[in-house]
């Protein structure tokens, strides 16, 4: 299965990507996660990416296309993958199509997670991540059972992602509208776009995506 999760920041790409990855036994490839790991490791690539990420801007196409090219040629991606957060503009979408055409393994489905602006704002401002185990919460929609404490590993390190502050969030949503949303038409023209209501509950969304993916396997 070779699929892309397309949607604004906060639309649930990470949550659904993780589920699909487990369900199909294929990796979830998130450029955001790969970039955050590079920043945390203090690598040269991380240093180059950090300023753009902190400002809510896109990291250069050259960097993210390079990351994807390397990641998709790893052995665990041979059976397929779920892309989350890539591509984010035309240049990236075209580079990806060319890369996959050369391998004769084109994308099979692009799933658009549709969520309105107000809901996105609450999801992003309310998001908290457990620094110890990576579990994700939302103080408005899915808080931990005990305030500030992770249900899964009991750590008290529930933190806000550094780019989940109001100013950066607004910028990320603007960047999405201007640069990423136009990819809806691009993939629609290829006949590969499927729209899912991203405001349903998590299980229902997963079920809807699963049904779509079964039709393109
Ligand atoms: P995400 O976790 O997908 O919301 O990504 C967090 C940040 O990483 C974004 O705001 C961008 O700065 C950067 N980023 C992630 N994916 C890409 C991409 N495909 N192209 C450019 N920048 C990206």
């Amino acid at each position: 299965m070779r699929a892309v999760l397309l949607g604004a920041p906060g639309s649930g790409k990470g949550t659904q990507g993780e589920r699909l990855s487990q369900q199909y036994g294929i990796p979830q490839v998130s450029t955001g996660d790969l970039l955050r790991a590079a920043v945390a490791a203090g690598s040269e690539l991380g240093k180059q990416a950090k300023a753009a990420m902190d400002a809510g801007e896109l990291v250069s196409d050259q960097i993210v296309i390079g990351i994807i090219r390397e990641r998709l040629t790893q052995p665990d991606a041979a059976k397929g993958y779920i892309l989350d957060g890539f591509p984010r503009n035309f240049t990236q979408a075209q580079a990806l199509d060319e890369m996959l055409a050369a391998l004769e393994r084109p994308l099979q489905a692009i799933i658009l997670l549709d969520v309105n602006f107000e809901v996105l704002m609450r999801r992003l401002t309310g998001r908290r991540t457990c620094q110890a185990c990576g579990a994700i919460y939302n103080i408005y929609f899915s808080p931990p059972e005990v305030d500030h404490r992770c249900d899964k590993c009991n750590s008290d390190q529930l933190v806000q992602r550094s780019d989940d502050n109001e100013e950066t969030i607004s910028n990320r949503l603007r960047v999405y509208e201007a640069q990423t949303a136009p990819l809806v038409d691009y993939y629609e023209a290829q006949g590969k776009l499927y729209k899912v209501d991203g405001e349903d509950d998590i299980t229902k969304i997963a079920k809807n995506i699963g049904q779509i993916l079964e039709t393109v396997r």
Side-chain angles (χ1 to χ4, degrees):
M1 173 56 53
R2 296 176 300 280
V4 172
L5 291 173
L6 189 64
S11 60
K13 302 186 298 296
T15 305
Q16 293 298 330
E18 200 182 311
R19 284 184 161 232
L20 292 166
S21 161
Q22 279 169 14
Q23 190 177 334
Y24 290 94
I26 54 179
Q28 168 193 15
V29 176
S30 154
T31 36
D33 285 348
L34 293 168
L35 288 165
R36 277 184 289 279
V39 171
S43 69
E44 192 48 44
L45 191 148
K47 283 180 197 147
Q48 286 172 32
K50 190 173 185 316
M53 292 175 78
D54 285 345
E57 301 288 344
L58 295 187
V59 172
S60 82
D61 291 332
Q62 195 201 347
I63 289 182
V64 289
I65 291 168
I67 288 180
I68 284 291
R69 197 181 291 282
E70 195 192 312
R71 183 65 188 88
L72 297 189
T73 51
Q74 303 283 317
D76 69 336
K79 275 200 325 189
Y81 41 79
I82 306 290
L83 285 174
D84 153 10
F86 183 94
R88 259 176 152 98
N89 62 23
F90 280 123
T91 307
Q92 295 177 17
Q94 280 159 353
L96 178 64
D97 276 350
E98 280 164 26
M99 205 185 296
L100 300 181
L103 299 169
E104 298 184 11
R105 287 209 158 81
L107 291 173
Q108 293 163 292
I110 289 79
I111 312 283
L112 174 67
L113 292 170
D114 205 14
V115 177
N116 89 44
F117 185 82
E118 283 71 32
V119 177
L120 291 173
M121 276 311 268
R122 299 214 339 141
R123 284 192 184 173
L124 291 164
T125 52
R127 178 158 64 184
R128 300 289 182 275
T129 308
C130 173
Q131 252 185 336
C133 76
I136 297 173
Y137 298 90
N138 187 290
I139 56 170
Y140 305 118
F141 304 116
S142 52
E145 277 173 28
V146 179
D147 272 359
H148 312 297
R149 202 162 271 286
C150 179
D151 296 345
K152 293 196 178 141
C153 75
N154 208 30
S155 115
D156 61 356
Q157 299 170 62
L158 300 188
V159 296
Q160 211 170 7
R161 245 170 68 171
S162 64
D163 59 351
D164 275 348
N165 61 75
E166 294 236 356
E167 195 187 329
T168 308
I169 287 171
S170 308
N171 208 24
R172 286 161 63 206
L173 292 173
R174 259 200 307 274
V175 168
Y176 174 78
E177 279 308 319
Q179 302 196 46
T180 313
L183 294 182
V184 170
D185 290 344
Y186 175 84
Y187 287 123
E188 209 150 37
Q190 295 186 358
K192 291 181 182 174
L193 189 87
Y194 300 85
K195 222 180 252 190
V196 167
D197 182 352
E199 292 181 31
D200 270 338
D201 72 72
I202 290 178
T203 312
K204 174 94 191 301
I205 298 170
K207 190 166 156 242
N208 290 341
I209 297 177
Q211 278 170 353
I212 293 165
L213 296 184
E214 288 308 317
T215 67
V216 300
R217 286 186 91 173

